[in-house]
Amino acid sequence: GENVEQHPSTLSVQEGDSAVIKCTYSDSASNYFPWYKQELGKRPQLIIDIRSNVGEKKDQRIAVTLNKTAKHFSLHITETQPEDSAVYFCAASYSNFGNEKLTFGTGTRLTIIP
Amino acid sequence: NAGVTQTPKFRILKIGQSMTLQCTQDMNHNYMYWYRQDPGMGLKLIYYSVGAGITDKGEVPNGYNVSRSTTEDFPLRLELAAPSQTSVYFCASRPLSLRLTEAFFGQGTRLTVV
């Protein structure tokens, strides 16, 4: 089955600096890579996703990159703000009808220092 | 829009008791998932379902059972509660689609076994 590793487990950055979170996956058949943000006591919510036919995707201050050959994908947050403080999860999934698991990484606790 | 609804939000169980965590979604999603999130840890897949009448095990199914008699409902059953099952449980759903899409999460059930 799929195995997703995520690093670092904790990350502290000064407000205004950039943050980068990295994930690797094991199953080369995976073709969908979402990122979720979970604020304290809340449910995970999607912030950005990327599909395997795309190398990079941006949405304002958030970007995700995918290297299929190396089976790496990363989340980049620029100009960080206090409200970016949360736990971030990467995930991997593949479309094989009848067997569509969504496997999560272990999470990164991001703290933005004012 | 209700989305994914979980009940109860909190529960304390004694060792050996049983209970059912309820999950219902009103988005007509085919895929439904149960995850557990231990303190400071990531999301681990317990069971998932690709449609009514079809369920399959995830990473950590021991001690749990599920059923999927309707598209809307995906209850998780704990038969003999153990302290190791103390966790936050999240239900999620996704639509059946050729183009993989985000999973929507319920607000979680915080379970403590004492």
Side-chain angles (χ1 to χ4, degrees):
Chain A
E2 176 64 276
N3 182 47
V4 178
E5 295 190 357
Q6 183 171 347
H7 300 280
S9 57
T10 60
L11 179 62
S12 296
V13 300
Q14 290 290 141
E15 182 178 353
D17 288 349
S18 296
V20 180
I21 302 170
K22 299 183 179 182
C23 288
T24 60
Y25 61 99
S26 61
D27 192 339
S28 57
S30 290
N31 55 4
Y32 176 67
F33 307 93
W35 285 88
Y36 285 79
K37 177 182 180 182
Q38 185 180 29
E39 296 176 348
L40 190 63
K42 301 283 184 66
R43 73 190 80 187
Q45 292 194 295
L46 182 78
I47 54 171
I48 195 167
D49 56 13
I50 192 167
R51 291 173 172 82
S52 60
N53 58 344
V54 175
E56 183 176 3
K57 183 177 178 180
K58 286 185 179 179
D59 183 3
Q60 300 183 336
R61 297 186 296 108
I62 294 173
V64 57
T65 58
L66 171 65
N67 182 330
K68 283 182 60 181
T69 303
K71 291 189 273 188
H72 289 173
F73 58 114
S74 300
L75 178 71
H76 304 253
I77 306 174
T78 59
E79 301 172 12
T80 53
Q81 300 169 3
E83 54 264 36
D84 294 330
S85 293
V87 177
Y88 291 81
F89 292 98
C90 62
S93 180
Y94 62 91
S95 179
N96 180 8
F97 289 119
N99 186 21
E100 195 180 304
K101 296 181 184 180
L102 182 60
T103 303
F104 284 83
T106 49
T108 296
R109 182 174 299 279
L110 175 63
T111 302
I112 306 303
I113 304 166
Chain B
N1 292 335
V4 180
T5 303
Q6 291 181 237
T7 56
K9 290 184 180 179
F10 304 94
R11 183 73 186 268
I12 299 174
L13 276 183
K14 292 185 178 179
I15 295 171
Q17 287 185 321
S18 62
M19 77 164 293
T20 299
L21 283 67
Q22 301 291 345
C23 176
T24 187
Q25 51 92 9
D26 61 358
M27 297 174 282
N28 201 33
H29 286 173
N30 286 77
Y31 294 103
M32 295 189 75
Y33 306 85
W34 274 107
Y35 290 91
R36 60 176 287 172
Q37 184 176 33
D38 298 332
M41 302 292 285
L43 296 157
K44 293 188 177 180
L45 183 64
I46 306 171
Y47 271 95
Y48 68 106
S49 170
V50 301
I54 306 169
T55 62
D56 208 347
K57 296 177 180 179
E59 299 173 74
V60 290
N62 292 344
Y64 307 94
N65 277 300
V66 293
S67 60
R68 184 92 182 272
S69 57
T70 67
T71 299
E72 294 78 19
D73 300 309
F74 190 41
L76 178 71
R77 179 82 178 164
L78 283 71
E79 290 294 349
L80 291 169
S84 61
Q85 293 177 305
T86 293
S87 190
V88 178
Y89 292 83
F90 286 100
C91 178
S93 73
R94 292 167 85 178
L96 175 64
S97 173
L98 289 175
R99 187 169 170 78
L100 293 168
T101 58
E102 77 174 283
F104 294 86
F105 283 82
Q107 77 274 31
T109 295
R110 185 175 296 275
L111 176 66
T112 302
V113 182
V114 297

